[in-house]
Amino acid sequence: MTAITASISIALDGFAAGPNQSLEHPLGEGGMRLHQWVFPTRAFNEMHGREGGEDGPDSDVLARAAADVGAYVMGRKIFGGGSGPWDTSWIGWWGEEPPFHAPVFVLTHHEREPLQLAGGTTFTFVTAGLDAALEQAQAAAGGREVKIAGGASTIRQTLAAGRLDELQLHVVPVLLGAGERLLDGAGDPLLEPVEVVASPGVTHIRYRVGAAAG
Amino acid sequence: MTAITASISIALDGFAAGPNQSLEHPLGEGGMRLHQWVFPTRAFNEMHGREGGEDGPDSDVLARAAADVGAYVMGRKIFGGGSGPWDTSWIGWWGEEPPFHAPVFVLTHHEREPLQLAGGTTFTFVTAGLDAALEQAQAAAGGREVKIAGGASTIRQTLAAGRLDELQLHVVPVLLGAGERLLDGAGDPLLEPVEVVASPGVTHIRYRVGAAAG
């Protein structure tokens, strides 16, 4: 069975995005503070076709999180392009060669033809809901894992539906104080920490998700 | 300068106590799930004058959290005995020989004479507020650290006031879904993870607290 996984940065007070999210500021106010650990890493540079960057635990964690992914599922906000019918000139935030190098299934309420870009990334637009997207991604993943690429609500929905097998949290030592909480309304899943990696800027905890508790 | 520290168990969704806290159920519904990691440990048994228990990272973390404490500060709910004027027959939850073995300063709105118990624990009741309690505890600590023994609101208040030097979180992999959040309203302190200890049941993260961020 193809595992379904997710990796996401959260603030120590549980927020995965700051307040006042908008199409222009999809991470909300202060939300970018959750992702500062990513940008200096060698792994991030490599994913985007660049050289250089810092080696170390953060880079290793980032590289491993993408190492065995056969397909991605993401919410529309992560893909971008507004919330209404598609302007098909929008090809995502990542340009002509996105860093996924795999099939990506985008949850949307609006139909659109698949979009094939350079480097092995194909975006397929799924209007039939999360379950349908997970099934299509599992079929496309060739036995490798399916990664929920966000946003927080898509990860939460997958967890609450009992479909997530593994959740990796990058716990960032900031308090946002407001915004979108990752785990509110996610039910009461059985979570078991299976790997913890410490770095000076962030604590990476990987949880295996079991059957719902109690 | 005597360091002020705190150690507390929190759920992965940020709650330090469950919903519907009451005098009878000070941890709220489900709140006891946050503390299950403590009871099997050898360190917990030793603190309570018993032998046996499990060795391992959880026991080590618990033992070290209390190893260099010269004085404690706690909220009244942690000491117990209701919220009104004192019934002086109440000597705390811990019996005739409490596990603190040090001066303990209890925040309360109601005056009471100090209470000296066996094994070196003296409870002093402070009606002049948190700052006064911290000062008295620092003076009594003999150069060792002052530990905020809870509850969540006292720890949060100390953090928000910029008085906390170190915060150790025992991150328990459960979602309580409701209750009292430890870090809501704690401001935006500068937090730096300085030690992470993993165990199968809980992730212990020790943060150094710096000046308030930008």
Side-chain angles (χ1 to χ4, degrees):
Chain A
M1 182 70 177
T2 302
I4 299 175
T5 69
S7 304
I8 187 168
S9 293
I10 64 164
L12 192 53
D13 55 358
F15 296 102
N20 302 317
Q21 293 178 61
S22 64
L23 294 176
E24 291 74 32
H25 300 97
L27 301 173
E29 292 167 15
M32 190 54 79
R33 294 169 68 192
L34 302 181
H35 303 276
Q36 299 293 359
W37 67 272
V38 170
F39 307 124
T41 63
R42 179 182 300 278
F44 180 76
N45 280 321
E46 274 177 6
M47 283 173 198
H48 293 78
R50 296 189 296 266
E51 297 195 348
E54 295 169 14
D55 289 311
D58 294 337
S59 188
D60 291 347
V61 163
L62 194 64
R64 281 192 291 135
D68 197 39
V69 177
Y72 292 87
V73 170
M74 65 172 60
R76 168 142 187 198
K77 217 155 46 170
I78 301 297
F79 182 77
S83 58
W86 291 103
D87 169 354
T88 54
S89 68
W90 178 260
I91 61 166
W93 304 99
W94 306 276
E96 296 284 348
E97 186 170 345
F100 301 103
H101 312 295
V104 180
F105 296 86
V106 180
L107 293 159
T108 170
H109 297 296
H110 300 276
E111 300 202 352
R112 177 173 175 181
E113 289 299 305
L115 176 65
Q116 188 168 346
L117 295 177
T121 299
T122 303
F123 293 104
T124 300
F125 301 90
V126 180
T127 57
L130 177 64
D131 280 346
L134 292 174
E135 270 175 42
Q136 291 183 51
Q138 286 186 309
R144 304 172 80 193
E145 72 189 65
V146 170
K147 174 84 72 184
I148 312 294
S153 62
T154 304
I155 293 175
R156 178 171 53 250
Q157 196 183 342
T158 310
L159 184 60
R163 299 296 307 275
L164 200 64
D165 297 298
E166 195 177 286
L167 174 63
Q168 183 174 46
L169 299 181
H170 312 294
V171 182
V172 180
V174 304
L175 305 184
L176 292 186
E180 181 180 5
R181 281 196 157 103
L182 176 66
L183 295 169
D184 277 19
D188 189 12
L190 191 61
L191 297 165
E192 183 191 353
V194 292
E195 185 194 52
V196 177
V197 176
S199 88
V202 52
T203 308
H204 311 275
I205 312 178
R206 202 156 52 82
Y207 293 95
R208 185 181 298 136
V209 187
Chain B
M1 181 68 178
T2 301
I4 300 175
T5 69
S7 304
I8 188 167
S9 293
I10 64 164
L12 192 54
D13 54 359
F15 295 102
N20 302 316
Q21 293 178 63
S22 66
L23 294 175
E24 292 74 31
H25 300 98
L27 301 173
E29 292 168 15
M32 190 55 79
R33 296 169 68 191
L34 302 181
H35 303 277
Q36 299 294 358
W37 68 273
V38 170
F39 308 123
T41 63
R42 178 183 302 277
F44 180 77
N45 281 321
E46 274 178 6
M47 283 174 198
H48 292 80
R50 295 190 297 266
E51 297 195 348
E54 294 169 14
D55 290 311
D58 293 337
S59 188
D60 292 346
V61 163
L62 194 63
R64 279 192 289 135
D68 197 41
V69 177
Y72 291 86
V73 171
M74 63 173 62
R76 169 143 187 197
K77 217 156 44 170
I78 301 297
F79 182 75
S83 59
W86 291 103
D87 169 355
T88 55
S89 68
W90 179 261
I91 61 165
W93 305 99
W94 306 275
E96 295 284 348
E97 186 170 344
F100 302 103
H101 313 293
V104 179
F105 297 86
V106 180
L107 293 161
T108 169
H109 297 296
H110 301 276
E111 300 201 352
R112 179 174 175 180
E113 290 298 306
L115 176 64
Q116 188 168 346
L117 296 177
T121 299
T122 303
F123 293 103
T124 300
F125 301 90
V126 180
T127 57
L130 177 64
D131 279 346
L134 292 174
E135 271 175 40
Q136 291 182 53
Q138 286 186 308
R144 304 173 79 195
E145 71 189 67
V146 170
K147 174 83 72 181
I148 312 295
S153 62
T154 304
I155 293 175
R156 179 172 52 249
Q157 196 183 341
T158 310
L159 184 60
R163 299 297 306 275
L164 200 64
D165 296 300
E166 195 176 286
L167 174 63
Q168 183 175 44
L169 299 181
H170 312 293
V171 182
V172 180
V174 303
L175 305 184
L176 293 185
E180 180 179 5
R181 281 197 157 102
L182 176 66
L183 295 169
D184 277 19
D188 188 12
L190 191 61
L191 297 166
E192 182 191 354
V194 291
E195 185 194 51
V196 177
V197 176
S199 88
V202 52
T203 308
H204 310 277
I205 312 178
R206 202 156 51 82
Y207 293 95
R208 185 182 299 137
V209 187

